[in-house]
């Protein structure tokens, strides 16, 4: 056996899902608090909890669920903890439903508690991004930035986004920024040179960079400036002095291979970086190598977005392997790249590092069944608190649906599931419906649009979600559901107005099917549903 395969198998077998980390437990409390304060059919009947009461209840629910799950785990300590995680999730969902049905507690005088505490007004944020997007003159800049010159102000966070600075306005801003740079912790300069000639825009960037050089930032946003390598180097003075950055945004900035290398070169330390976003750039495979180097140094990374960056299989494999060092990752967004099967399999090996992962966006990556199955297997045995799973547009067929369904069945904290634009058909849709029908009390959005689903699959999906507390959207548009099937779905969901959404792209006749074939499919739908409802979802590796 290949040594790499042996190592991978050993790693898979050694994964422990229990006990959850403290951060995972806190995230569950936050999630339940949000659900308990979200309007639903149940809350309309029993009343909506206040934020304070919901938070108190959520803490108690989590503690009781943890105790129950831990008792199960102690009876089988040699297991991987997967059963304990399921008990933890199901107990949480059951207790949360009980609280929802109980409704808000009453005060001693009988009055229902409904009000939240007033939100404190922030005095540390200076933001001029509101209003009409426009060029600003030197006089306007002088007037806009006047509060920053007042002695004793408390501004530590500034946002100049949505206002286009030319040389005159930059000349006004520079000395003001220089005078307060020692107190700044967050700077947003996204979209602040829009419409300027390249030479002027680069000069403005240089002016702002010099003015802010040496400030100690935790947050920096340079998005939507078409930076490219020249723009990034124009910000060199600022970037080179940042040793404590926690969040860096370079979205829609023309980050090419050369620009990605410049980022890697200019930022001296990413040891504290928690958020790194490169969405909508032209990075490509060679640029992915440079980004992978940044990722390797960013061991505290929690939120990584590298979507729509033209990265193919080679770059995808390198980036996927680099992500294996980021054990604190909570949110991963790699959508709309050309990864293919090989990069998908490489990513599946890194997923075992992400015990705290709550959101994963893997749509439009050309994964096909093989890549999707590898990722589903990995996710099933990791990320116990996963809330969002998106794998749309990956050519997944019913062949890959079984592994995917097993993964989904294990993810009891899912709130959003998007498998649109695949080829699951009725067989796959029914397997997914079976996976979500039990538990999944926090699920509120399911998207299986454009999957060649017919009447049986649509009916089972509706039945699977109808009793979920707070469920908001079932998208089955763009399928081949008969008129009778649509009527059935609407009847099942009649007490959830707006949940079914639009059906304007549904084709009751099916694509390129003659009348005889369509009638035959309609006759076989009930038999198909009967057979598939008895299928067991595979949980083996």
């Amino acid at each position: 056996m290949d040594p790499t395969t042996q190592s991978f198998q050993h790693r898979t077998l050694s994964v422990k899902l229990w006990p959850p980390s403290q951060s995972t437990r806190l995230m569950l409390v936050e999630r339940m608090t949000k659900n308990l304060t979200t309007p639903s059919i149940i809350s309309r009947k029993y009343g909506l909890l206040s934020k304070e009461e919901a938070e108190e209840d959520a803490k108690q629910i989590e503690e009781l669920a943890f105790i129950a799950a831990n008792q199960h785990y102690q009876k089988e300590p040699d297991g991987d903890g997967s059963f304990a995680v399921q008990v933890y999730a199901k107990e949480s969902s059951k207790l949360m439903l009980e609280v929802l049905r109980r409704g808000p507690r009453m005060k001693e005088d009988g009055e229902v508690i409904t009000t939240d505490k007033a939100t404190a007004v922030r005095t540390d944020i200076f933001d001029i991004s509101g209003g009409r997007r426009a060029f600003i003159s030197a006089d306007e800049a002088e007037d806009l930035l006047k509060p920053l010159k007042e002695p004793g102000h408390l501004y530590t966070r500034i946002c100049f986004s949505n206002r286009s600075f030319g040389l005159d306005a930059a000349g006004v801003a520079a000395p003001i920024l220089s005078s307060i740079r020692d107190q700044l912790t967050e700077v947003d300069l996204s979209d602040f040179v829009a419409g300027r000639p390249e030479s002027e825009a680069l000069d403005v960037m240089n002016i702002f960079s010099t003015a802010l050089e040496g400030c100690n930032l935790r947050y920096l946003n340079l998005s939507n400036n078409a930076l490219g390598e020249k723009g990034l180097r124009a910000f060199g003075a600022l970037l080179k002095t940042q040793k404590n950055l926690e969040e860096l945004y370079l979205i829609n900035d023309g980050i090419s291979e050369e620009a990605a290398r410049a980022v890697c070169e200019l930022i001296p330390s990413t040891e504290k970086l928690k958020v790194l976003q490169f969405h909508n750039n032209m990075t490509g495979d060679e640029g992915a190598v440079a980004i992978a180097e940044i990722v390797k140094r960013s061991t505290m990374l929690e939120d990584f977005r590298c979507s729509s960056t033209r990265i193919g299989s080679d770059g995808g494999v390198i980036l996927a392997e680099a992500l294996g060092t980021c054990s604190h990752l909570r949110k991963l967004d790699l959508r709309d790249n050309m990864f293919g099967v090989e990069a998908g399999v490489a990513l599946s090996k890194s997923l075992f590092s992400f015990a705290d992962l709550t959101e994963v966006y893997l749509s439009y990556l050309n994964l096909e069944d093989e890549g999707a199955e590898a990722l589903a297997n990995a996710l099933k045995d990791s990320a116990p608190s996963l809330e969002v799973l998106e794998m749309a547009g990956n050519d997944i067929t019913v062949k890959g649906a079984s592994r995917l369904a097993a993964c989904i069945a294990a993810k009891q904290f899912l709130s959003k599931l998007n498998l649109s634009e695949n080829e699951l058909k009725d067989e796959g849709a029914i397997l997914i419906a079976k996976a979500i029908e039990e538990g999944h009390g926090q699920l509120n959005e399911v998207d299986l649009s454009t999957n060649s689903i017919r009447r049986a699959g649509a009916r089972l999906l509706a039945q699977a979600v109808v009793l979920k507390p707070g469920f908001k959207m079932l998208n089955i548009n763009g399928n081949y559901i008969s008129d009778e099937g649509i009527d059935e779905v609407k009847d099942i969901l009649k007490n959830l107005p707006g949940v079914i959404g639009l059906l304007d792209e549904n084709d009751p006749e099916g694509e390129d099917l003659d009348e005889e074939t369509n009638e035959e499919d309609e006759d076989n739908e009930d038999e198909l549903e009967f057979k598939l409802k008895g299928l067991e979802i595979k949980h083996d590796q």
Side-chain angles (χ1 to χ4, degrees), residues 230-251:
K230 291 180 181 178
L232 281 164
R233 295 199 180 279
F235 274 112
L238 172 60
L239 292 172
K240 286 178 180 178
T241 55
Q242 299 312 304
K243 298 180 181 180
N244 295 303
L245 270 182
E246 294 180 15
E247 298 185 39
L248 177 62
Y249 299 84
L250 296 169
I251 296 170

Side-chain angles (χ1 to χ4, degrees), residues 52 71 133 233 268 271 332 358 360 374 378 386 405 431 492 511:
E52 290 87 351
Q71 287 174 345
R133 187 177 188 232
R233 295 199 180 279
E271 292 177 1
L332 176 63
T358 59
V360 60
L386 193 67
L431 285 172
I492 293 168
E511 185 181 28

Side-chain angles (χ1 to χ4, degrees), residues 492-503:
I492 293 168
L493 300 174
K494 62 186 176 184
N495 292 325
L496 297 175
V499 160
I500 192 59
L502 294 174
L503 291 164

Side-chain angles (χ1 to χ4, degrees), residues 101 110 112 280 311 319 341 390 449 486:
R101 286 174 175 162
V112 177
N280 196 28
I311 297 176
L319 189 57
V341 172
E390 289 200 8
S449 58
I486 293 297

